[in-house]
Amino acid sequence: MSRRAIITGVTGQDGSYLAELLLEKGYEVTGVVRRSSSPNLWRIEHLLGRISLKPADLLDQLSLLRLIQDVNPHEIYTLAAMSFVPASWDQPLLTGDYNSMGVTRLLEAIRHVDTSIKLYQASSSEMYGRVREVPQTELTPFYPRSPYGVSKVFGHYITVNYRESYNMFAVSGILFNHESPRRGLEFVTRKVTDGVARIKLGMSDHLSLGNLDACRDWGFAGDYVHAMWMMLQQDEADDYVIATGVTHSVRQLVETAFGHVGLDSQKYVRIDPAFLRPAEVDHLIGDASKAKRVLGWEPSVSFQQLVAMMVDADIQALSGSHRVASSVWTPR
């Protein structure tokens, strides 16, 4: 009998890669979509004949109960969220509704329908904020620096609380930044690679950015969804940091992307104060040694390979060569 999984946020970057992985492993996959006048399905167009889509919303408790009753899943991956950190300053209440209360509603729905269902909850390195130690581990204290980070701390600890209070198999992956050609254009990595591609193709003459000194631990989303699945295959539920253990600045990201196409970044980059955050998170770098030791997980794509992959995909997409979502990564 094939296993059944629900993915909330299936139309996002992580959801699309995870759906591919689970299909490769023989799962019946149900993706959750919100009812919308303009569905955003470009990342999963190549999967539409192989996965089921069902409407539900993390803001609507009844829809989650019905979803779980209808699908009767073995695993649920809750990836849906307000995921763009700068936007959380503009919509702090909605960010909390989705990232904090949304996780609670899903946990409650599982508790009422079937506590044997395994849940993956997406925590974030943004919870560390003004970091208390470098690198960050599962035991590093949180100090979030944005409404997004605060909301993720709530989601993280409510998952721990339900696991310990109701004996539920509920885990959190504390994922550091993970990117791909399917990343939204609002995120700095994709903004840079798309900008470089446009400049290379003569479609633009500059790239506007904010803080070039901010440092992040960037990995490949295809690697990171594999870790999500591995967490739910363990005998014991636990939380794990997923990261490369290597940090790079936005400046290095820019130089690597421009260098990949033989251009000098200093000729094209402009600093725009409008892109600066009210409170910056300066230095995030994760220690994934626990994930390597317990799960056997480690990243397979380097920073340079990731940037090159994204730049090449953006050049091809802007040239009309192919749709970004159709290839790039094969589940291992």
Side-chain angles (χ1 to χ4, degrees):
M1 183 183 71
S2 61
R3 295 184 66 76
R4 295 177 299 278
I6 290 174
I7 304 174
T8 76
V10 72
T11 60
Q13 169 188 257
D14 292 6
S16 66
Y17 282 115
L18 179 61
E20 288 176 352
L21 174 66
L22 296 182
L23 288 171
E24 185 76 12
K25 293 185 177 297
Y27 280 67
E28 295 177 19
V29 178
T30 297
V32 178
V33 292
R34 287 186 295 159
R35 294 197 183 276
S36 171
S37 57
S38 54
N40 181 29
L41 303 178
W42 69 269
R43 293 182 181 91
I44 58 170
E45 280 179 347
H46 60 300
L47 302 177
L48 291 180
R50 302 172 61 198
I51 66 176
S52 300
L53 297 180
K54 287 186 176 292
D57 197 310
L58 291 178
L59 303 186
D60 182 0
Q61 183 77 43
L62 183 57
S63 72
L64 299 176
L65 286 164
R66 287 173 172 167
L67 171 72
I68 295 172
Q69 289 169 340
D70 289 347
V71 176
N72 189 26
H74 301 92
E75 300 171 0
I76 296 178
Y77 297 83
T78 175
L79 307 182
M82 292 285 286
S83 60
F84 186 46
V85 177
S88 72
W89 294 100
D90 298 324
Q91 296 180 297
L93 299 182
L94 187 61
T95 298
D97 278 343
Y98 273 109
N99 299 357
S100 302
M101 299 313 299
V103 174
T104 310
R105 292 185 189 98
L106 191 53
L107 286 162
E108 268 293 283
I110 293 171
R111 187 171 75 88
H112 283 286
V113 176
D114 182 1
T115 56
S116 72
I117 296 170
K118 294 185 175 183
L119 174 77
Y120 172 85
Q121 192 275 136
S123 288
S124 168
S125 60
E126 288 285 333
M127 300 188 303
Y128 295 118
R130 182 179 287 173
V131 297
R132 296 321 216 185
E133 61 183 8
V134 179
Q136 293 88 53
T137 73
E138 293 81 4
L139 300 178
T140 301
F142 300 137
Y143 193 146
R145 296 271 281 169
S146 66
Y148 171 84
V150 172
S151 71
K152 281 294 185 178
V153 171
F154 185 107
H156 181 86
Y157 277 126
I158 199 68
T159 301
V160 172
N161 190 263
Y162 271 68
R163 178 171 71 217
E164 296 178 350
S165 300
Y166 301 115
N167 196 31
M168 294 167 58
F169 196 109
V171 307
S172 292
I174 307 175
L175 271 56
F176 281 65
N177 296 64
H178 46 289
E179 318 298 318
S180 77
R182 303 180 194 176
R183 193 57 139 155
L185 284 168
E186 67 272 24
F187 291 89
V188 68
T189 47
R190 183 75 195 291
K191 181 178 181 179
V192 168
T193 61
D194 176 77
V196 168
R198 290 178 184 277
I199 291 170
K200 181 65 176 178
L201 295 172
M203 302 168 67
S204 180
D205 62 2
H206 72 279
L207 174 61
S208 296
L209 296 168
N211 181 11
L212 297 185
D213 295 321
C215 293
R216 295 291 184 273
D217 182 330
W218 280 300
F220 174 49
D223 286 335
Y224 285 40
V225 300
H226 198 83
M228 299 177 188
W229 175 78
M230 295 172 83
M231 290 180 208
L232 294 194
Q233 312 316 307
Q234 304 306 304
D235 293 332
E236 301 287 337
D238 205 350
D239 306 322
Y240 298 88
V241 164
I242 304 299
T244 69
V246 181
T247 187
H248 295 89
S249 67
V250 175
R251 191 183 310 278
Q252 290 173 304
L253 166 68
V254 169
E255 292 171 351
T256 302
F258 275 100
H260 181 64
V261 296
L263 296 176
D264 181 357
S265 61
Q266 295 186 13
K267 295 180 179 179
Y268 303 100
V269 174
R270 301 177 185 175
I271 304 302
D272 186 342
F275 295 120
L276 298 175
R277 295 186 188 181
E280 183 58 83
V281 175
D282 293 314
H283 194 78
L284 293 174
I285 177 171
D287 178 356
S289 57
K290 178 181 174 182
K292 181 177 182 179
R293 183 179 71 255
V294 178
L295 305 178
W297 179 88
E298 52 188 328
S300 67
V301 177
S302 71
F303 173 76
Q304 289 75 18
Q305 290 172 324
L306 174 62
V307 175
M309 175 201 305
M310 294 176 67
V311 171
D312 289 343
D314 277 324
I315 289 175
Q316 291 173 334
L318 290 167
S319 302
S321 302
H322 74 96
R323 289 305 302 268
V324 169
S326 63
S327 60
V328 179
W329 179 68
T330 301
R332 18 183 196 187

